[in-house]
Amino acid sequence: MCLGVPMRVYSIDGSSARVELGGLTKEISIMLLPSAKVGDYLIVHAGFAIERIEEEAAQRTIEYLRQIAAEQETKNSKNHDA
C-alpha cells in the first residue's frame, strides 16, 4: 500500500522544494506540480509532490496520522509488556 503525506512547503529552488511535517524536513521534487508556492500544503509521495490540498484538509489528515501512530504505539507497548 502507498501513502501520500501532506507536507507544508517552506522554500522552493527551481523544481525542488523543502517541505516540513512535524519537525521532519525533506527535499522533494515539484516537477509534477510546478505551480506550488511557499506555504502550500502538498501531498508528497516517494519524494514527489502529487497534489495541492487545502490547509484544513491537510491538518485533519495530519491529526488522523497522529492518532493512528499513538494507537499503534499503545498497542506495541501492551504487546511488549505481555
Side-chain angles (χ1 to χ4, degrees):
M1 175 167 48
C2 299
L3 179 65
V5 179
M7 301 184 86
R8 186 172 183 269
V9 177
Y10 71 88
S11 70
I12 294 177
D13 183 16
S15 62
S16 296
R18 294 294 295 175
V19 293
E20 184 271 335
L21 173 63
L24 171 72
T25 62
K26 181 174 178 77
E27 185 168 328
I28 63 161
S29 172
I30 55 172
M31 289 177 63
L32 301 174
L33 210 61
S35 61
K37 298 179 191 101
V38 172
D40 284 350
Y41 280 87
L42 309 175
I43 298 295
V44 177
H45 172 69
F48 288 86
I50 58 173
E51 184 177 357
R52 180 182 296 108
I53 63 171
E54 296 296 322
E55 182 176 1
E56 182 179 322
Q59 293 299 337
R60 201 169 42 246
T61 301
I62 292 166
E63 182 55 32
Y64 293 149
L65 292 172
R66 284 185 183 129
Q67 289 173 7
I68 291 167
E71 288 175 17
Q72 187 63 44
E73 188 174 311
T74 299
K75 185 177 183 180
N76 289 343
S77 178
K78 287 181 183 178
N79 288 338
H80 186 269
D81 293 340

